[in-house]
Amino acid sequence: MKMGKDKKDANDGKMGVGDRFQKETKYTPESLRGHSLDWSHRTPSFKNHESPIAIISLPEPEITGGPNLWTVLNTRRSRRTYDAERTIKLELLSVLLWATQGVTSVYGDTFFRTAPSAGGLYPVETYLNVRLVDGLEPGIYHFRPQNFDLEFLKKGDYSGELAEAALGQAMVMNAQVTFVWSAVVERSKWKYGQRAYRYIYLDAGHIAQNLYLAGEALGLGVCAIGALFDEQVNMLIGVDGISETVIYMASVGWPKRKTGLDL
Ligand SMILES: Cc1cc2nc3c(=O)[nH]c(=O)nc-3n(C[C@H](O)[C@H](O)[C@H](O)COP(=O)(O)O)c2cc1C
């Protein structure tokens, strides 16, 4: 097959940063030889903000009933058009948060969750841009899985700013809530070095898929968002973009189209 000119020339025939990353973070028997862990550098898997506006306890998630897994897998789609006026009950948001990062088992100092995580290190943090959720003021929130509550960080409707930061994707404007996932890189790096980035992205994928499936089961529409201006989102959630940085987002709302494609 003839290679497209643009593709061939994209890196002037050289390896780009992504190519080098993939190459340089490969495990080989040699690279692992003599590898040991410095447990003194283990970073806690939880983040607390110093002075949130408020802490909001979440209702116990109602996780019985609903459609079966096979139906949900069969009907799940990315849904991007939402009924902008209708609110989401806090009870539903609670189920979504539980599905993405809820603690389901505690062993020693590891809080195992609904989604798997490389090494049980849980580098991914969840922030929410709340637009229309019953019982929550619009604003930016941070989810604490260990307490199953929300830290209220910033008051106001940031949907416009966040949509702009998502390359102008309008679904964020109409979404009742948008999940913003960041990574506290050191939580994985102390163990995996540069390979940690691979695992961080994989962790986020698991979390996002849980959101898709839980949303589908509840009749809510979810759309993953990888296209974003990193620094704009980092500013909005108040992270430095180095030690902690945004990696992924997903909008959630009442879907206008419940079946078929919603492009
Ligand atoms: C890593 C990733 C990033 C994505 N980013 C976006 C995005 O920025 N905007 C968007 O509209 N859809 C985004 N999507 C959704 C895909 O377009 C969608 O999954 C794909 O078209 C397949 O459709 P389906 O999810 O309905 O099966 C993303 C999906 C993934 C997995």
Side-chain angles (χ1 to χ4, degrees), residues 76-78 80 169 171 212 223-227 248:
R76 183 213 62 81
R77 283 271 78 80
S78 292
R80 301 174 176 83
Q169 298 188 77
M171 61 203 172
Y212 264 115
C223 186
I225 301 172
Y248 206 14

Side-chain angles (χ1 to χ4, degrees), residues 4-224:
K5 189 175 181 302
D6 289 350
K7 241 192 182 142
K8 196 174 168 210
D9 290 346
N11 294 310
D12 291 331
K14 292 189 208 113
M15 284 180 92
V17 63
D19 305 311
R20 291 203 310 279
F21 167 74
Q22 196 64 20
K23 182 165 181 261
E24 290 173 22
T25 58
K26 277 183 180 157
Y27 271 166
T28 62
E30 293 72 42
S31 70
L32 286 180
R33 200 160 294 140
H35 182 71
S36 66
L37 284 181
D38 178 1
W39 287 91
S40 67
H41 276 83
R42 188 175 172 179
T43 313
S45 295
F46 299 114
K47 174 172 181 176
N48 299 296
H49 288 78
E50 244 164 48
S51 41
I53 301 168
I55 291 178
I56 294 113
S57 299
L58 288 161
E60 186 80 8
E62 169 63 56
I63 47 171
T64 54
N68 76 33
L69 177 63
W70 314 120
T71 305
V72 170
L73 284 169
N74 197 32
T75 55
R76 183 213 62 81
R77 283 271 78 80
S78 292
R79 308 200 189 281
R80 301 174 176 83
T81 46
Y82 309 122
D83 176 351
E85 308 303 322
R86 194 173 156 198
T87 61
I88 289 183
K89 284 206 159 71
L90 190 56
E91 283 74 9
L92 290 193
L93 180 60
S94 172
V95 177
L96 296 178
L97 287 163
W98 177 83
T100 54
Q101 293 206 300
V103 173
T104 47
S105 213
V106 180
Y107 185 79
D109 59 0
T110 303
F111 286 55
F112 290 87
R113 307 190 189 172
T114 47
S117 172
L121 298 174
Y122 305 100
V124 177
E125 291 289 330
T126 301
Y127 296 81
L128 301 174
N129 175 57
V130 168
R131 195 181 64 81
L132 216 51
V133 176
D134 262 353
L136 291 182
E137 279 189 67
I140 307 290
Y141 293 77
H142 170 245
F143 174 54
R144 299 194 302 179
Q146 73 278 27
N147 304 74
F148 203 65
D149 62 18
L150 293 173
E151 295 176 315
F152 187 17
L153 303 181
K154 270 165 112 170
K155 211 181 269 210
D157 184 356
Y158 292 95
S159 309
E161 263 177 70
L162 194 59
E164 223 175 87
L167 276 58
Q169 298 188 77
M171 61 203 172
V172 176
M173 289 290 291
N174 296 328
Q176 273 66 10
V177 56
T178 299
F179 281 60
V180 178
W181 291 294
S182 71
V184 178
V185 181
E186 194 52 35
R187 279 185 204 158
S188 292
K189 244 188 187 173
W190 77 274
K191 183 170 184 183
Y192 298 116
Q194 293 297 304
R195 193 175 170 89
Y197 288 93
R198 291 185 182 220
Y199 296 155
I200 285 168
Y201 297 135
L202 293 169
D203 272 25
H206 290 292
I207 291 167
Q209 178 69 359
N210 280 10
L211 181 66
Y212 264 115
L213 297 178
E216 189 67 27
L218 296 170
L220 287 160
V222 174
C223 186

